[in-house]
Amino acid sequence: MKKLFLVSALSLFGCAAMAQDAVNKAMVDGLRKDKEKSDKDATDPKASAKATFWMERAKLYENIALQGSEVDSSAAKTAMEAYKKVVELDVTKKGEAGKSSKEASNVLAGGEGTQLFNAFVKQGAEKYQAKNLNGALEMFQAAQEINKKDTLASLYGGIAAQQLDKKDVAKTSFENYAANGGKDPSVFYGLAQLYRSEQNFDKAVETLNNGLKQSPGNKDLKAEVVNILLASGKEDQAIQELEALAAADPKNTQNVVNLAILYDNMYRTATDKVKQLSAKAGAGTNAAGAAEKNLAAEKDKIAVYDGEVKRIGALIKKQPKNADLKRQLADVTSKKKESTEAIAKLEGEVKAAQEAAKSQDVAGAQKDLADAKAKQKEASDKAVLNYKKALEIDATNYDALYNLGVFYFNEAVQLKGEVDNMNMTEYQQRGKEVEGRVCGKFKKAKPYFEKAIQAKDEAEAKDNLTNLNGVLEQFAAKGVACIEE
């Protein structure tokens, strides 16, 4: 995940450190003495029964949190407890809240007095700096309870929770931040990552789009929408988003390269689909043809065995006592019987294969195959178009150069497979011509690998170029003329 929170977090913590540096030693010593006295009075039944005592204690600990955390690093919590005690004790004879009680309630509700809120945020930041993440989170959560409309505490509470891997707490904090009008794009990015980790892709995209409403031009958020759409299998929608990005910023090479890569991936997927459908469409016919070949071969054996029986029978007439000839005759007769049984079985297999071929939805299979080929060609054309468009913007873009070289190389490999599957008759008819086209595609890939190496000295491009040169040397040795299309 991108760490986009760092600058904001450091700014807060830096301020906290500066504030602490500004507190002079005399003030800290005074706060420490006042704390000792207040702590002692808190155990005194008379003093602790008065709302005024708890109001003074609340103000004291509030000041400790804001100006002298070294006296008590969790002073804000004690201040909150003291304010709650004021609310509990300051009640009139009529059972109504007194003046101090109303003031304390106002502070706890995040009203005019925001000092307690600031105290929790400051001490939370200090605990974060000290790597006390649990303590920091506790402080930030308390601050959020005081001021539910604030974005600062929810932002840093979410950061602390995320680092503690408390994902649900982090999500709640970041959602509060967004709901309260927070605009930092890194928060929306981070929240989307949390939803993505749970495979909640729709919520992740929704979060990113909410962030884009606040920061319409943010490239990280836009790019992550595409990434999450891809991760969720919504490739077509991802392409639409990336097409829009490329159209809005036509000079952004990376958007165009990414679009080309998406189409390249679609092309490879479509190519695999074409192979599967081709095999499926020809499965019944191929099975019937194979069974017929096996049947014909077995029938040929019968003719051979009949000839042997006739030959050996003639020899036995001349040598009726020859035991070896009788053994040969018995062996041939046994093999003929096996072939006769095999023929009966194969005739059944041929019939079944022929019936299966007839029952196939030939028209449906052909339509599926045609659709897959159309999608394959469209993806191929758009991949090449966008790679070349990226090179028009930046002729030295390594990814576009390297990927285009790989594209043409793989096309050559696929076409070579067609040559490898030819029988002798097919090769004699058109094998040389197809080999020339294969060589041409390999040759077409070469300049892209060479330019990629010039742009960036990467081992992958060097290795591919070495392999490619070896292939071209083999074609040259065979006297194959490269046909470039």
Side-chain angles (χ1 to χ4, degrees):
M1 174 184 163
K2 285 188 170 183
K3 297 187 181 297
L4 300 178
F5 297 123
L6 187 59
V7 174
S8 299
L10 286 177
S11 66
L12 171 69
F13 302 143
C15 290
M18 288 172 63
Q20 181 59 49
D21 289 341
V23 178
N24 58 55
K25 186 176 183 300
M27 182 180 290
V28 172
D29 289 343
L31 290 172
R32 184 175 285 111
K33 289 178 181 178
D34 291 342
K35 175 184 179 299
E36 289 173 358
K37 183 179 184 303
S38 180
D39 290 346
K40 182 179 179 181
D41 289 345
T43 61
D44 183 330
K46 284 187 178 181
S48 62
K50 299 176 182 179
T52 52
F53 164 76
W54 290 104
M55 179 61 82
E56 290 173 358
R57 183 173 173 81
K59 297 291 185 182
L60 169 64
Y61 271 87
E62 198 173 69
N63 286 332
I64 291 173
L66 290 168
Q67 302 181 61
S69 276
E70 60 195 79
V71 176
D72 187 339
S73 63
S74 297
K77 289 173 60 180
T78 305
M80 176 182 272
E81 291 165 3
Y83 276 123
K84 290 179 179 178
K85 197 71 175 176
V86 172
V87 174
E88 178 187 328
L89 293 176
D90 187 28
V91 181
T92 66
K93 293 179 179 180
K94 294 181 180 180
E96 298 172 349
K99 182 179 179 181
S100 295
S101 178
K102 290 177 181 178
E103 181 184 347
S105 297
N106 184 54
V107 171
L108 293 170
E112 292 180 6
T114 59
Q115 290 292 76
L116 183 61
F117 168 82
N118 292 334
F120 274 110
V121 172
K122 178 179 174 293
Q123 291 205 305
E126 290 166 349
K127 288 181 183 295
Y128 188 98
Q129 278 188 316
K131 302 190 185 305
N132 180 358
L133 294 178
N134 283 302
L137 178 58
E138 182 184 12
M139 291 291 179
F140 290 134
Q141 285 181 308
Q144 290 179 65
E145 284 301 312
I146 294 170
N147 188 351
K148 293 181 171 59
K149 295 297 182 181
D150 178 75
T151 56
L152 188 64
S154 55
L155 170 60
Y156 295 112
I159 295 171
Q162 193 173 31
Q163 293 190 19
L164 287 166
D165 202 30
K166 295 184 177 181
K167 294 180 180 178
D168 288 339
V169 177
K171 283 190 299 181
T172 299
S173 289
F174 289 148
E175 287 286 10
N176 288 339
Y177 172 86
N180 289 337
K183 296 183 179 181
D184 190 334
S186 64
V187 177
F188 292 94
Y189 186 98
L191 181 56
Q193 292 297 308
L194 290 171
Y195 284 121
R196 181 178 181 175
S197 69
E198 298 172 346
Q199 307 289 301
N200 191 346
F201 299 117
D202 290 342
K203 189 65 176 176
V205 170
E206 178 188 331
T207 299
L208 291 168
N209 286 332
N210 287 338
L212 285 167
K213 290 177 183 177
Q214 302 292 345
S215 307
N218 189 275
K219 295 178 181 179
D220 288 325
L221 296 181
K222 290 179 179 180
E224 190 60 16
V225 169
V226 175
N227 291 336
I228 291 177
L229 289 173
L230 287 173
S232 61
K234 296 178 180 179
E235 194 173 66
D236 290 342
Q237 195 174 341
I239 285 179
Q240 289 177 10
E241 293 284 345
L242 202 46
E243 288 274 17
L245 285 179
D249 189 4
K251 295 300 182 182
N252 187 317
T253 311
Q254 196 56 54
N255 284 341
V256 181
V257 171
N258 288 343
L259 187 58
I261 291 171
L262 280 184
Y263 280 120
D264 200 341
N265 290 337
M266 282 184 66
Y267 166 68
R268 295 179 191 183
T269 301
T271 298
D272 291 339
K273 187 72 173 177
V274 167
K275 288 179 182 177
Q276 294 171 7
L277 291 172
S278 295
K280 183 179 179 181
T285 303
N286 292 341
E292 288 169 357
K293 284 182 181 179
N294 291 337
L295 177 60
E298 209 62 49
K299 286 182 176 180
D300 288 342
K301 289 181 184 179
I302 293 292
V304 173
Y305 293 146
D306 283 342
E308 280 296 289
V309 167
K310 186 175 181 180
R311 183 184 69 79
I312 295 171
L315 291 174
I316 288 175
K317 284 183 180 180
K318 294 178 181 179
Q319 305 174 50
K321 294 183 180 181
N322 190 319
D324 186 55
L325 289 173
K326 291 179 179 179
R327 180 191 59 75
Q328 290 180 32
L329 181 61
D331 185 47
V332 171
T333 302
S334 175
K335 288 181 178 179
K336 179 181 177 181
K337 181 181 178 184
E338 289 175 3
S339 283
T340 302
E341 292 171 353
I343 286 170
K345 182 180 178 182
L346 286 169
E347 284 176 341
E349 291 179 2
V350 168
K351 185 176 180 181
Q354 289 173 340
E355 290 298 322
K358 289 179 183 178
S359 66
Q360 275 189 333
D361 181 5
V362 177
Q366 289 177 343
K367 183 181 182 305
D368 289 343
L369 182 57
D371 290 343
K373 286 183 176 179
K375 189 169 184 179
Q376 178 191 35
K377 185 178 187 309
E378 179 186 10
S380 170
D381 292 345
K382 288 186 175 181
V384 172
L385 175 68
N386 282 284
Y387 280 135
K388 290 185 174 179
K389 189 182 293 185
L391 292 174
E392 288 174 5
I393 303 170
D394 177 10
T396 62
N397 185 277
Y398 175 82
D399 290 334
L401 290 166
Y402 177 79
N403 288 344
L404 200 48
V406 171
F407 184 90
Y408 289 130
F409 188 98
N410 288 341
E411 274 198 333
V413 171
Q414 290 173 25
L415 189 58
K416 186 177 183 299
E418 185 179 325
V419 178
D420 294 340
N421 290 328
M422 289 179 179
N423 57 37
M424 186 57 67
T425 302
E426 289 172 330
Y427 184 81
Q428 289 173 346
Q429 290 175 347
R430 60 189 189 91
K432 289 289 185 181
E433 183 268 333
V434 177
E435 272 192 327
R437 288 167 53 210
V438 172
C439 179
K441 286 189 178 294
F442 277 123
K443 191 173 180 180
K444 196 172 183 178
K446 184 174 179 178
Y448 293 103
F449 286 132
E450 291 174 337
K451 290 177 183 177
I453 293 169
Q454 292 172 8
K456 190 186 293 186
D457 190 19
E458 292 285 347
E460 57 183 358
K462 287 182 176 180
D463 291 343
N464 282 348
L465 181 59
T466 300
N467 293 336
L468 177 56
N469 285 333
V471 171
L472 291 175
E473 287 173 5
Q474 292 176 23
F475 278 113
K478 288 174 65 177
V480 175
C482 296
I483 303 172
E484 294 190 47
E485 300 173 320

